[in-house]
Amino acid sequence: MPRLTLPALLDPHVHLRGMDWAYKADFASETAAALAGGYWAVLDMPNTAPSTIDRPALDRKLAEIGAAAVCDWGVYFGASQADNTAAYAAVMGDVCGLKIYNNATTGTLLIDDQARREAIYAAWPGTKPIAVHAEGETVRDILALVRKYHRLTHFCHISTAEEIGYLQAARVEGLPISIGVTPHHLYLTQDDLPALGPLGLMKPELKTRADRDALWAAIASGLVDVIESDHAPHTLEEKHGPKPVYGVPGLETTLPLLGLAIHEGRLSVDRLVALVAENPRRIFGLRAPADTYTVLDLDASVVIDNAALHTKCGWSPFAGMRVRGRVAEVWLRGRRVYDGERVLAAPGSGRNVAA
Ligand code: DOR
Ligand code: ZN
Protein backbone atom coordinates (compact mmCIF):
# COMPACT_ATOMS: atom_id res chain seq x y z
CA MET A 1 0.00 0.00 0.00
CA PRO A 2 1.57 3.31 -1.00
CA ARG A 3 0.31 6.77 -0.07
CA LEU A 4 -3.10 7.07 1.51
CA THR A 5 -5.20 10.21 1.58
CA LEU A 6 -7.14 10.35 4.84
CA PRO A 7 -10.02 12.82 5.29
CA ALA A 8 -9.81 15.46 8.12
CA LEU A 9 -8.66 13.58 11.22
CA LEU A 10 -10.09 14.65 14.59
CA ASP A 11 -8.64 13.72 17.99
CA PRO A 12 -11.45 14.42 20.47
CA HIS A 13 -9.29 13.94 23.58
CA VAL A 14 -6.14 15.97 24.17
CA HIS A 15 -4.59 18.00 26.97
CA LEU A 16 -2.75 20.84 25.26
CA ARG A 17 -1.80 22.61 28.56
CA GLY A 18 -0.87 26.26 27.93
CA MET A 19 -1.75 29.17 30.27
CA ASP A 20 -0.33 28.49 33.76
CA TRP A 21 0.90 25.07 32.60
CA ALA A 22 2.72 26.41 29.54
CA TYR A 23 5.98 25.15 31.05
CA LYS A 24 4.68 21.61 30.35
CA ALA A 25 3.42 22.36 26.84
CA ASP A 26 1.59 25.19 25.09
CA PHE A 27 -1.03 25.82 22.44
CA ALA A 28 1.58 26.56 19.76
CA SER A 29 3.74 23.49 20.42
CA GLU A 30 0.90 21.03 20.88
CA THR A 31 -1.21 22.13 17.90
CA ALA A 32 2.02 21.80 15.87
CA ALA A 33 2.31 18.27 17.29
CA ALA A 34 -1.28 17.67 16.16
CA LEU A 35 -0.46 18.67 12.57
CA ALA A 36 2.72 16.58 12.66
CA GLY A 37 0.58 13.69 13.88
CA GLY A 38 -1.71 14.14 10.88
CA TYR A 39 -4.69 15.80 12.59
CA TRP A 40 -6.99 18.48 11.25
CA ALA A 41 -8.40 19.29 14.70
CA VAL A 42 -8.14 18.46 18.39
CA LEU A 43 -10.56 18.89 21.31
CA ASP A 44 -8.92 20.20 24.48
CA MET A 45 -9.91 18.92 27.92
CA PRO A 46 -10.85 21.34 30.74
CA ASN A 47 -8.45 20.15 33.50
CA THR A 48 -6.09 23.00 32.75
CA ALA A 49 -4.63 25.72 34.96
CA PRO A 50 -7.01 27.48 35.39
CA SER A 51 -9.72 24.82 35.00
CA THR A 52 -12.24 25.58 32.23
CA ILE A 53 -15.22 25.76 34.60
CA ASP A 54 -16.32 29.38 34.44
CA ARG A 55 -16.62 32.21 31.93
CA PRO A 56 -13.32 33.99 32.75
CA ALA A 57 -11.28 30.77 32.49
CA LEU A 58 -13.03 29.84 29.25
CA ASP A 59 -12.43 33.30 27.80
CA ARG A 60 -8.75 33.14 28.72
CA LYS A 61 -8.37 29.75 27.05
CA LEU A 62 -10.29 30.85 23.94
CA ALA A 63 -8.06 33.91 23.61
CA GLU A 64 -4.76 32.09 24.12
CA ILE A 65 -5.53 29.06 21.97
CA GLY A 66 -7.12 31.29 19.32
CA ALA A 67 -3.96 33.36 19.03
CA ALA A 68 -1.57 30.40 18.86
CA ALA A 69 -3.25 27.40 17.23
CA VAL A 70 -2.00 26.12 13.87
CA CYS A 71 -4.68 23.40 13.57
CA ASP A 72 -8.41 23.67 14.17
CA TRP A 73 -9.54 23.11 17.74
CA GLY A 74 -12.38 22.88 20.19
CA VAL A 75 -12.51 23.17 23.97
CA TYR A 76 -14.59 21.34 26.54
CA PHE A 77 -16.33 23.00 29.44
CA GLY A 78 -15.68 21.18 32.72
CA ALA A 79 -18.21 20.00 35.28
CA SER A 80 -17.23 21.31 38.70
CA GLN A 81 -17.70 20.12 42.27
CA ALA A 82 -18.72 23.69 43.10
CA ASP A 83 -21.97 23.98 41.13
CA ASN A 84 -21.38 25.71 37.77
CA THR A 85 -24.47 24.41 35.96
CA ALA A 86 -25.87 27.94 35.67
CA ALA A 87 -23.07 28.74 33.21
CA TYR A 88 -23.90 25.90 30.77
CA ALA A 89 -26.43 27.60 28.53
CA ALA A 90 -24.25 30.64 27.90
CA VAL A 91 -21.11 28.69 26.98
CA MET A 92 -22.78 26.26 24.56
CA GLY A 93 -21.88 28.30 21.48
CA ASP A 94 -18.17 28.32 22.34
CA VAL A 95 -17.47 24.76 23.46
CA CYS A 96 -17.53 21.29 21.86
CA GLY A 97 -19.04 19.51 24.85
CA LEU A 98 -18.91 18.94 28.60
CA LYS A 99 -16.33 16.80 30.42
CA ILE A 100 -17.04 15.07 33.72
CA TYR A 101 -14.18 13.50 35.68
CA ASN A 102 -15.80 10.75 37.69
CA ASN A 103 -12.61 9.06 38.87
CA ALA A 104 -9.33 10.49 40.12
CA THR A 105 -7.24 12.35 37.57
CA THR A 106 -4.75 15.18 36.99
CA GLY A 107 -6.25 18.46 38.28
CA THR A 108 -9.10 19.25 40.67
CA LEU A 109 -12.27 18.37 38.76
CA LEU A 110 -13.19 15.04 40.41
CA ILE A 111 -16.93 14.47 40.88
CA ASP A 112 -17.44 11.22 42.77
CA ASP A 113 -20.89 11.95 44.16
CA GLN A 114 -23.74 10.43 42.11
CA ALA A 115 -26.25 13.11 43.14
CA ARG A 116 -23.88 15.83 41.83
CA ARG A 117 -23.43 13.88 38.60
CA GLU A 118 -27.19 13.67 38.22
CA ALA A 119 -27.60 17.42 38.71
CA ILE A 120 -25.02 17.94 35.95
CA TYR A 121 -26.77 15.56 33.55
CA ALA A 122 -30.09 17.25 34.26
CA ALA A 123 -28.62 20.70 33.57
CA TRP A 124 -26.56 20.10 30.41
CA PRO A 125 -28.53 21.17 27.31
CA GLY A 126 -29.12 18.21 25.02
CA THR A 127 -27.31 19.22 21.86
CA LYS A 128 -23.61 18.60 22.49
CA PRO A 129 -21.96 15.46 23.91
CA ILE A 130 -20.95 14.79 27.49
CA ALA A 131 -17.52 13.11 27.65
CA VAL A 132 -16.87 11.08 30.78
CA HIS A 133 -13.82 9.74 32.52
CA ALA A 134 -15.41 6.69 34.16
CA GLU A 135 -13.59 3.53 35.19
CA GLY A 136 -14.88 0.13 36.35
CA GLU A 137 -18.16 0.25 38.27
CA THR A 138 -18.40 3.99 37.64
CA VAL A 139 -19.26 3.17 34.01
CA ARG A 140 -22.52 1.67 35.30
CA ASP A 141 -23.25 4.73 37.43
CA ILE A 142 -22.94 6.91 34.33
CA LEU A 143 -25.00 4.54 32.18
CA ALA A 144 -27.84 4.94 34.71
CA LEU A 145 -27.77 8.69 34.02
CA VAL A 146 -27.64 8.18 30.24
CA ARG A 147 -30.69 5.93 30.54
CA LYS A 148 -32.55 8.58 32.53
CA TYR A 149 -31.52 11.79 30.71
CA HIS A 150 -30.72 10.55 27.16
CA ARG A 151 -27.70 12.82 26.83
CA LEU A 152 -25.24 11.63 24.17
CA THR A 153 -22.31 10.38 26.25
CA HIS A 154 -18.79 9.60 25.05
CA PHE A 155 -16.93 7.14 27.29
CA CYS A 156 -13.28 8.20 27.12
CA HIS A 157 -10.27 5.86 27.19
CA ILE A 158 -12.03 2.60 28.00
CA SER A 159 -9.34 0.20 29.19
CA THR A 160 -10.76 -3.06 30.61
CA ALA A 161 -12.73 -6.12 29.51
CA GLU A 162 -15.16 -5.42 32.36
CA GLU A 163 -15.94 -1.91 31.03
CA ILE A 164 -16.29 -3.27 27.49
CA GLY A 165 -18.88 -5.72 28.82
CA TYR A 166 -20.98 -2.95 30.42
CA LEU A 167 -20.83 -0.84 27.27
CA GLN A 168 -21.63 -3.73 24.93
CA ALA A 169 -24.82 -4.30 26.93
CA ALA A 170 -25.61 -0.57 26.81
CA ARG A 171 -25.14 -0.55 23.03
CA VAL A 172 -27.55 -3.50 22.66
CA GLU A 173 -30.00 -1.62 24.88
CA GLY A 174 -29.80 1.28 22.43
CA LEU A 175 -28.46 3.94 24.79
CA PRO A 176 -26.91 7.02 23.09
CA ILE A 177 -23.25 6.26 23.83
CA SER A 178 -19.91 6.27 22.06
CA ILE A 179 -16.68 4.58 23.08
CA GLY A 180 -13.06 5.71 22.81
CA VAL A 181 -9.84 3.77 23.42
CA THR A 182 -6.25 4.99 23.45
CA PRO A 183 -3.22 3.66 21.57
CA HIS A 184 -1.35 3.18 24.85
CA HIS A 185 -4.00 0.80 26.17
CA LEU A 186 -3.89 -1.04 22.84
CA TYR A 187 -0.12 -1.38 22.70
CA LEU A 188 1.10 -1.38 26.32
CA THR A 189 0.16 -3.42 29.40
CA GLN A 190 1.21 -3.51 33.03
CA ASP A 191 3.95 -5.91 31.89
CA ASP A 192 5.66 -2.87 30.34
CA LEU A 193 5.77 -0.94 33.63
CA PRO A 194 9.17 -2.23 34.82
CA ALA A 195 10.80 -0.97 31.62
CA LEU A 196 8.81 2.26 31.38
CA GLY A 197 8.90 3.31 35.02
CA PRO A 198 7.03 6.58 35.55
CA LEU A 199 6.71 7.06 31.76
CA GLY A 200 4.15 4.23 31.90
CA LEU A 201 1.92 6.00 34.43
CA MET A 202 -1.38 7.41 33.26
CA LYS A 203 -5.08 7.37 34.21
CA PRO A 204 -6.65 4.96 33.42
CA GLU A 205 -3.59 2.87 34.25
CA LEU A 206 -2.07 0.20 32.00
CA LYS A 207 -4.00 -3.04 32.38
CA THR A 208 -3.54 -6.78 31.74
CA ARG A 209 -2.90 -8.48 28.44
CA ALA A 210 -6.43 -9.94 28.62
CA ASP A 211 -7.83 -6.40 28.91
CA ARG A 212 -5.73 -5.26 25.96
CA ASP A 213 -6.99 -8.19 23.90
CA ALA A 214 -10.59 -7.29 24.80
CA LEU A 215 -9.99 -3.78 23.43
CA TRP A 216 -8.67 -5.13 20.12
CA ALA A 217 -11.65 -7.49 19.92
CA ALA A 218 -14.00 -4.56 20.53
CA ILE A 219 -12.31 -2.68 17.69
CA ALA A 220 -12.76 -5.66 15.39
CA SER A 221 -16.42 -6.12 16.37
CA GLY A 222 -17.26 -2.46 15.71
CA LEU A 223 -18.10 -1.64 19.34
CA VAL A 224 -15.30 0.92 19.67
CA ASP A 225 -16.12 4.16 17.85
CA VAL A 226 -13.01 6.28 18.34
CA ILE A 227 -9.26 6.03 18.84
CA GLU A 228 -8.25 9.06 20.94
CA SER A 229 -4.71 9.83 22.04
CA ASP A 230 -5.41 11.32 25.50
CA HIS A 231 -2.28 13.34 24.67
CA ALA A 232 -1.12 14.52 28.13
CA PRO A 233 2.38 16.01 28.08
CA HIS A 234 4.31 16.48 31.33
CA THR A 235 7.96 17.41 31.76
CA LEU A 236 10.48 14.62 32.29
CA GLU A 237 11.41 16.27 35.60
CA GLU A 238 7.79 15.85 36.78
CA LYS A 239 7.59 12.27 35.51
CA HIS A 240 10.82 11.32 37.26
CA GLY A 241 10.13 13.39 40.38
CA PRO A 242 9.19 12.12 43.85
CA LYS A 243 5.43 12.27 43.06
CA PRO A 244 5.21 11.18 39.41
CA VAL A 245 2.34 12.79 37.50
CA TYR A 246 -0.08 10.82 35.32
CA GLY A 247 -0.26 11.13 31.56
CA VAL A 248 1.63 10.44 28.33
CA PRO A 249 1.85 12.34 25.03
CA GLY A 250 0.30 10.63 22.00
CA LEU A 251 -0.60 12.98 19.16
CA GLU A 252 2.45 12.10 17.03
CA THR A 253 2.46 8.35 17.66
CA THR A 254 -1.21 7.39 17.18
CA LEU A 255 -1.24 7.21 13.38
CA PRO A 256 2.04 5.24 13.04
CA LEU A 257 0.85 2.80 15.73
CA LEU A 258 -2.41 2.29 13.82
CA GLY A 259 -0.38 1.96 10.61
CA LEU A 260 1.46 -0.87 12.34
CA ALA A 261 -1.92 -2.46 13.17
CA ILE A 262 -2.85 -2.28 9.48
CA HIS A 263 0.42 -4.00 8.54
CA GLU A 264 -0.19 -6.63 11.20
CA GLY A 265 -3.63 -7.30 9.71
CA ARG A 266 -5.51 -6.13 12.82
CA LEU A 267 -7.13 -3.10 11.23
CA SER A 268 -8.41 -2.19 7.77
CA VAL A 269 -7.88 1.22 6.18
CA ASP A 270 -11.65 1.81 6.17
CA ARG A 271 -11.88 1.06 9.88
CA LEU A 272 -8.94 3.41 10.56
CA VAL A 273 -10.73 6.23 8.76
CA ALA A 274 -13.88 5.54 10.77
CA LEU A 275 -12.01 5.51 14.11
CA VAL A 276 -9.91 8.66 13.70
CA ALA A 277 -11.99 10.80 11.34
CA GLU A 278 -15.59 9.90 10.45
CA ASN A 279 -16.83 8.71 13.85
CA PRO A 280 -15.31 11.46 16.01
CA ARG A 281 -16.62 14.11 13.57
CA ARG A 282 -20.11 12.57 13.61
CA ILE A 283 -20.22 12.16 17.41
CA PHE A 284 -19.25 15.80 17.99
CA GLY A 285 -21.39 17.07 15.11
CA LEU A 286 -18.46 18.65 13.27
CA ARG A 287 -18.19 19.13 9.52
CA ALA A 288 -14.68 19.08 8.08
CA PRO A 289 -13.62 22.16 6.11
CA ALA A 290 -13.26 21.72 2.35
CA ASP A 291 -9.90 20.51 0.96
CA THR A 292 -8.71 19.22 4.33
CA TYR A 293 -6.86 15.91 4.39
CA THR A 294 -3.73 14.06 5.42
CA VAL A 295 -1.33 12.17 3.18
CA LEU A 296 0.06 9.14 5.00
CA ASP A 297 2.98 7.13 3.65
CA LEU A 298 1.76 3.84 5.06
CA ASP A 299 4.77 1.79 3.96
CA ALA A 300 7.36 3.90 5.74
CA SER A 301 9.02 1.93 8.53
CA VAL A 302 9.94 4.38 11.29
CA VAL A 303 11.52 4.13 14.74
CA ILE A 304 9.83 6.54 17.16
CA ASP A 305 12.45 9.11 18.06
CA ASN A 306 12.06 11.65 20.87
CA ALA A 307 14.25 14.12 19.00
CA ALA A 308 11.82 14.21 16.05
CA LEU A 309 8.74 15.09 18.12
CA HIS A 310 7.07 18.51 18.02
CA THR A 311 5.45 18.17 21.46
CA LYS A 312 7.15 20.42 23.98
CA CYS A 313 7.62 17.56 26.45
CA GLY A 314 10.03 15.85 24.05
CA TRP A 315 9.43 12.24 25.04
CA SER A 316 7.17 9.30 24.23
CA PRO A 317 6.50 6.01 26.04
CA PHE A 318 6.93 4.45 22.59
CA ALA A 319 10.43 5.83 21.94
CA GLY A 320 12.56 3.20 20.20
CA MET A 321 9.58 1.23 18.89
CA ARG A 322 9.44 0.40 15.17
CA VAL A 323 6.09 1.44 13.69
CA ARG A 324 4.61 1.86 10.20
CA GLY A 325 3.46 5.07 8.59
CA ARG A 326 4.80 8.58 8.24
CA VAL A 327 2.68 11.69 7.90
CA ALA A 328 3.87 13.14 4.59
CA GLU A 329 1.56 16.17 4.27
CA VAL A 330 -1.39 17.82 5.96
CA TRP A 331 -3.70 20.13 4.00
CA LEU A 332 -6.19 22.47 5.69
CA ARG A 333 -8.70 24.60 3.73
CA GLY A 334 -6.68 24.03 0.56
CA ARG A 335 -3.33 25.05 2.07
CA ARG A 336 -0.46 22.75 2.86
CA VAL A 337 0.10 23.24 6.61
CA TYR A 338 2.62 20.44 7.24
CA ASP A 339 5.22 19.11 4.78
CA GLY A 340 6.43 16.03 6.62
CA GLU A 341 8.94 17.95 8.72
CA ARG A 342 7.89 21.53 9.21
CA VAL A 343 4.67 23.24 10.21
CA LEU A 344 3.78 25.84 7.57
CA ALA A 345 0.64 27.36 9.11
CA ALA A 346 0.66 30.77 10.79
CA PRO A 347 -0.01 31.04 14.53
CA GLY A 348 -3.71 31.70 15.03
CA SER A 349 -4.76 30.29 11.66
CA GLY A 350 -6.57 27.41 13.38
CA ARG A 351 -10.29 27.93 14.00
CA ASN A 352 -12.72 26.99 16.76
CA VAL A 353 -14.72 24.06 15.40
CA ALA A 354 -17.65 24.94 17.69
CA ALA A 355 -18.04 28.51 16.50
O1 DOR B 1 -3.14 10.26 32.67
C1 DOR B 1 -3.89 11.20 32.60
N1 DOR B 1 -3.43 12.44 32.40
N2 DOR B 1 -5.20 11.01 32.79
C2 DOR B 1 -6.06 12.02 32.88
O2 DOR B 1 -7.24 11.79 33.07
C3 DOR B 1 -5.59 13.41 32.79
C4 DOR B 1 -4.31 13.51 32.10
C5 DOR B 1 -3.59 14.82 32.33
O3 DOR B 1 -4.19 15.87 32.21
O4 DOR B 1 -2.39 14.76 32.62
ZN1 ZN C 1 -7.53 12.80 29.33
Side-chain angles (χ1 to χ4, degrees):
M1 250 173 296
R3 292 193 150 198
L4 287 179
T5 300
L6 306 172
L9 273 62
L10 170 66
D11 188 335
H13 190 148
V14 302
H15 303 264
L16 301 177
R17 315 302 192 196
M19 302 176 295
D20 297 348
W21 277 350
Y23 71 91
K24 291 180 193 276
D26 58 58
F27 295 124
S29 61
E30 303 316 291
T31 56
L35 287 183
Y39 286 93
W40 150 58
V42 290
L43 305 183
D44 186 54
M45 287 294 170
N47 63 327
T48 40
S51 298
T52 316
I53 55 172
D54 55 31
R55 189 77 231 182
L58 175 62
D59 284 341
R60 182 171 170 202
K61 181 180 280 190
L62 292 172
E64 296 197 15
I65 192 173
V70 288
C71 68
D72 285 359
W73 51 271
V75 303
Y76 289 87
F77 204 59
S80 164
Q81 189 57 254
D83 186 7
N84 67 347
T85 53
Y88 290 174
V91 301
M92 282 296 284
D94 294 314
V95 304
C96 62
L98 180 75
K99 175 70 181 281
I100 312 177
Y101 287 94
N102 299 283
N103 300 104
T105 182
T106 305
T108 56
L109 296 180
L110 175 64
I111 296 173
D112 53 7
D113 176 74
Q114 185 72 355
R116 283 284 312 130
R117 293 172 187 155
E118 176 152 5
I120 292 159
Y121 260 79
W124 183 247
T127 49
K128 292 186 178 181
I130 298 176
V132 294
H133 180 141
E135 300 187 41
E137 281 288 322
T138 308
V139 167
R140 301 175 92 176
D141 296 335
I142 300 303
L143 286 171
L145 299 176
V146 180
R147 195 173 287 118
K148 184 162 176 188
Y149 292 97
H150 300 282
R151 295 286 182 270
L152 174 58
T153 298
H154 177 68
F155 287 81
C156 301
H157 45 47
I158 287 304
S159 65
T160 68
E162 176 201 3
E163 294 158 4
I164 288 288
Y166 300 149
L167 293 166
Q168 170 70 44
R171 177 67 49 83
V172 170
E173 188 186 337
L175 295 182
I177 59 167
S178 58
I179 300 162
V181 303
T182 72
H184 46 270
H185 294 115
L186 289 169
Y187 273 98
L188 301 172
T189 69
Q190 54 199 28
D191 298 351
D192 295 299
L193 278 171
L196 285 170
L199 300 190
L201 297 181
M202 76 290 290
K203 298 278 190 187
E205 291 167 8
L206 294 178
K207 299 296 185 337
T208 67
R209 280 185 274 176
D211 289 314
R212 177 203 58 193
D213 293 348
L215 300 181
W216 280 110
I219 285 180
S221 77
L223 181 68
V224 170
D225 302 287
V226 173
I227 307 258
E228 54 194 23
S229 70
D230 200 3
H231 180 79
H234 294 284
T235 67
L236 280 175
E237 290 71 23
E238 291 170 314
K239 291 298 272 184
H240 290 297
K243 263 190 89 186
V245 286
Y246 293 101
V248 294
L251 273 168
E252 294 166 270
T253 47
T254 296
L255 218 40
L257 286 166
L258 297 178
L260 179 60
I262 291 173
H263 275 274
E264 290 171 337
R266 301 207 241 187
L267 195 66
S268 67
V269 172
D270 284 352
R271 190 83 177 102
L272 168 74
V273 170
L275 289 164
V276 298
E278 293 166 352
N279 291 347
R281 281 194 254 120
R282 174 178 43 77
I283 291 161
F284 286 85
L286 303 177
R287 194 139 22 109
D291 302 315
T292 298
Y293 55 91
T294 291
V295 182
L296 181 70
D297 181 359
L298 189 59
D299 281 340
S301 175
V302 187
V303 174
I304 292 173
D305 174 11
N306 288 340
L309 298 172
H310 291 71
T311 176
K312 191 169 182 172
C313 76
W315 61 272
S316 164
F318 297 106
M321 182 174 172
R322 184 167 291 279
V323 288
R324 296 299 287 261
R326 198 179 64 84
V327 176
E329 292 179 357
V330 181
W331 291 72
L332 175 49
R333 286 181 276 277
R335 299 191 123 171
R336 195 166 66 147
V337 288
Y338 180 68
D339 69 0
E341 276 174 38
R342 289 164 308 147
V343 168
L344 309 172
S349 57
R351 296 186 190 165
N352 185 352
V353 294

Short mmCIF file of all heavy atoms in Angstrom, two decimals, residues 329-353:
data_model
loop_
_atom_site.label_atom_id
_atom_site.label_comp_id
_atom_site.label_asym_id
_atom_site.label_seq_id
_atom_site.Cartn_x
_atom_site.Cartn_y
_atom_site.Cartn_z
N GLU A 329 2.10 14.81 4.47
CA GLU A 329 1.56 16.17 4.27
C GLU A 329 0.24 16.29 5.00
O GLU A 329 -0.50 15.31 5.11
CB GLU A 329 1.28 16.43 2.77
CG GLU A 329 2.51 16.51 1.91
CD GLU A 329 2.16 16.76 0.44
OE1 GLU A 329 0.96 16.81 0.09
OE2 GLU A 329 3.10 16.90 -0.34
N VAL A 330 -0.05 17.51 5.47
CA VAL A 330 -1.39 17.82 5.96
C VAL A 330 -1.86 19.08 5.23
O VAL A 330 -1.11 20.06 5.13
CB VAL A 330 -1.43 18.05 7.49
CG1 VAL A 330 -2.86 18.36 7.95
CG2 VAL A 330 -0.89 16.84 8.23
N TRP A 331 -3.08 19.00 4.70
CA TRP A 331 -3.70 20.13 4.00
C TRP A 331 -4.93 20.58 4.78
O TRP A 331 -5.71 19.75 5.26
CB TRP A 331 -4.11 19.72 2.58
CG TRP A 331 -2.92 19.49 1.69
CD1 TRP A 331 -2.06 18.44 1.73
CD2 TRP A 331 -2.46 20.36 0.64
NE1 TRP A 331 -1.08 18.59 0.75
CE2 TRP A 331 -1.31 19.75 0.06
CE3 TRP A 331 -2.92 21.58 0.11
CZ2 TRP A 331 -0.61 20.34 -1.00
CZ3 TRP A 331 -2.22 22.15 -0.95
CH2 TRP A 331 -1.08 21.54 -1.48
N LEU A 332 -5.07 21.90 4.92
CA LEU A 332 -6.19 22.47 5.69
C LEU A 332 -6.74 23.66 4.90
O LEU A 332 -6.00 24.60 4.60
CB LEU A 332 -5.69 22.90 7.07
CG LEU A 332 -6.60 23.65 8.04
CD1 LEU A 332 -7.94 22.96 8.20
CD2 LEU A 332 -5.92 23.76 9.40
N ARG A 333 -8.04 23.57 4.54
CA ARG A 333 -8.70 24.60 3.73
C ARG A 333 -7.88 24.93 2.47
O ARG A 333 -7.69 26.08 2.10
CB ARG A 333 -8.94 25.87 4.55
CG ARG A 333 -10.09 25.73 5.56
CD ARG A 333 -10.35 26.99 6.35
NE ARG A 333 -9.49 27.13 7.49
CZ ARG A 333 -9.70 26.54 8.68
NH1 ARG A 333 -10.76 25.81 8.87
NH2 ARG A 333 -8.85 26.70 9.67
N GLY A 334 -7.37 23.85 1.83
CA GLY A 334 -6.68 24.03 0.56
C GLY A 334 -5.25 24.51 0.67
O GLY A 334 -4.59 24.74 -0.35
N ARG A 335 -4.73 24.64 1.90
CA ARG A 335 -3.33 25.05 2.07
C ARG A 335 -2.54 23.92 2.70
O ARG A 335 -3.03 23.25 3.62
CB ARG A 335 -3.23 26.26 3.00
CG ARG A 335 -3.96 27.47 2.49
CD ARG A 335 -3.58 28.66 3.31
NE ARG A 335 -3.04 29.70 2.47
CZ ARG A 335 -2.79 30.94 2.91
NH1 ARG A 335 -2.99 31.24 4.17
NH2 ARG A 335 -2.33 31.84 2.09
N ARG A 336 -1.31 23.75 2.23
CA ARG A 336 -0.46 22.75 2.86
C ARG A 336 0.08 23.33 4.17
O ARG A 336 0.76 24.35 4.18
CB ARG A 336 0.70 22.40 1.93
CG ARG A 336 1.40 21.12 2.37
CD ARG A 336 2.30 20.59 1.30
NE ARG A 336 3.41 21.51 1.04
CZ ARG A 336 4.64 21.14 0.68
NH1 ARG A 336 4.91 19.87 0.50
NH2 ARG A 336 5.57 22.02 0.47
N VAL A 337 -0.26 22.70 5.29
CA VAL A 337 0.10 23.24 6.61
C VAL A 337 1.19 22.42 7.29
O VAL A 337 1.74 22.84 8.32
CB VAL A 337 -1.14 23.33 7.53
CG1 VAL A 337 -2.07 24.46 7.07
CG2 VAL A 337 -1.90 22.01 7.60
N TYR A 338 1.53 21.26 6.71
CA TYR A 338 2.62 20.44 7.24
C TYR A 338 3.23 19.69 6.06
O TYR A 338 2.51 19.13 5.24
CB TYR A 338 2.10 19.46 8.30
CG TYR A 338 3.18 18.57 8.89
CD1 TYR A 338 4.17 19.11 9.71
CD2 TYR A 338 3.22 17.20 8.62
CE1 TYR A 338 5.17 18.31 10.24
CE2 TYR A 338 4.21 16.39 9.15
CZ TYR A 338 5.18 16.95 9.96
OH TYR A 338 6.17 16.16 10.49
N ASP A 339 4.56 19.70 5.96
CA ASP A 339 5.22 19.11 4.78
C ASP A 339 5.99 17.83 5.09
O ASP A 339 6.81 17.39 4.30
CB ASP A 339 6.15 20.15 4.13
CG ASP A 339 7.37 20.46 4.98
OD1 ASP A 339 7.51 19.88 6.09
OD2 ASP A 339 8.20 21.29 4.56
N GLY A 340 5.71 17.26 6.25
CA GLY A 340 6.43 16.03 6.62
C GLY A 340 7.53 16.30 7.63
O GLY A 340 8.02 15.37 8.28
N GLU A 341 7.93 17.57 7.74
CA GLU A 341 8.94 17.95 8.72
C GLU A 341 8.58 19.23 9.45
O GLU A 341 8.71 19.34 10.66
CB GLU A 341 10.31 18.17 8.04
CG GLU A 341 11.09 16.91 7.83
CD GLU A 341 12.35 17.19 7.02
OE1 GLU A 341 12.97 18.25 7.23
OE2 GLU A 341 12.67 16.35 6.16
N ARG A 342 8.13 20.20 8.65
CA ARG A 342 7.89 21.53 9.21
C ARG A 342 6.41 21.91 9.17
O ARG A 342 5.70 21.56 8.21
CB ARG A 342 8.68 22.59 8.42
CG ARG A 342 10.18 22.56 8.63
CD ARG A 342 10.86 23.34 7.53
NE ARG A 342 10.40 22.86 6.20
CZ ARG A 342 10.25 23.61 5.13
NH1 ARG A 342 10.55 24.90 5.17
NH2 ARG A 342 9.82 23.10 3.99
N VAL A 343 6.01 22.67 10.20
CA VAL A 343 4.67 23.24 10.21
C VAL A 343 4.70 24.54 9.43
O VAL A 343 5.56 25.40 9.66
CB VAL A 343 4.22 23.49 11.67
CG1 VAL A 343 2.97 24.35 11.72
CG2 VAL A 343 4.00 22.15 12.37
N LEU A 344 3.76 24.68 8.46
CA LEU A 344 3.78 25.84 7.57
C LEU A 344 2.65 26.83 7.86
O LEU A 344 2.57 27.87 7.23
CB LEU A 344 3.65 25.35 6.11
CG LEU A 344 4.63 24.24 5.70
CD1 LEU A 344 4.28 23.70 4.32
CD2 LEU A 344 6.06 24.75 5.73
N ALA A 345 1.79 26.50 8.81
CA ALA A 345 0.64 27.36 9.11
C ALA A 345 1.05 28.49 10.05
O ALA A 345 1.93 28.32 10.89
CB ALA A 345 -0.47 26.54 9.74
N ALA A 346 0.37 29.62 9.92
CA ALA A 346 0.66 30.77 10.79
C ALA A 346 -0.02 30.59 12.14
O ALA A 346 -1.11 30.05 12.22
CB ALA A 346 0.17 32.05 10.12
N PRO A 347 0.64 31.08 13.22
CA PRO A 347 -0.01 31.04 14.53
C PRO A 347 -1.36 31.75 14.47
O PRO A 347 -1.47 32.83 13.91
CB PRO A 347 0.96 31.82 15.43
CG PRO A 347 2.28 31.78 14.73
CD PRO A 347 1.97 31.71 13.25
N GLY A 348 -2.38 31.10 15.02
CA GLY A 348 -3.71 31.70 15.03
C GLY A 348 -4.54 31.38 13.81
O GLY A 348 -5.70 31.80 13.72
N SER A 349 -3.98 30.63 12.86
CA SER A 349 -4.76 30.29 11.66
C SER A 349 -5.77 29.17 11.92
O SER A 349 -6.69 28.97 11.15
CB SER A 349 -3.84 29.92 10.50
OG SER A 349 -2.99 28.85 10.86
N GLY A 350 -5.60 28.44 13.01
CA GLY A 350 -6.57 27.41 13.38
C GLY A 350 -7.86 28.04 13.88
O GLY A 350 -7.84 29.11 14.49
N ARG A 351 -8.99 27.38 13.63
CA ARG A 351 -10.29 27.93 14.00
C ARG A 351 -10.99 27.07 15.03
O ARG A 351 -10.80 25.86 15.09
CB ARG A 351 -11.19 28.01 12.77
CG ARG A 351 -10.66 28.97 11.72
CD ARG A 351 -11.67 29.13 10.58
NE ARG A 351 -11.06 29.86 9.47
CZ ARG A 351 -11.59 29.90 8.24
NH1 ARG A 351 -12.72 29.26 7.98
NH2 ARG A 351 -10.98 30.57 7.29
N ASN A 352 -11.88 27.70 15.79
CA ASN A 352 -12.72 26.99 16.76
C ASN A 352 -13.79 26.22 16.00
O ASN A 352 -14.63 26.82 15.32
CB ASN A 352 -13.36 27.98 17.73
CG ASN A 352 -14.13 27.30 18.84
OD1 ASN A 352 -14.33 26.07 18.83
ND2 ASN A 352 -14.58 28.07 19.82
N VAL A 353 -13.77 24.89 16.14
CA VAL A 353 -14.72 24.06 15.40
C VAL A 353 -16.16 24.23 15.90
O VAL A 353 -17.11 23.89 15.22
CB VAL A 353 -14.35 22.56 15.48
CG1 VAL A 353 -13.03 22.29 14.76
CG2 VAL A 353 -14.29 22.08 16.93
#
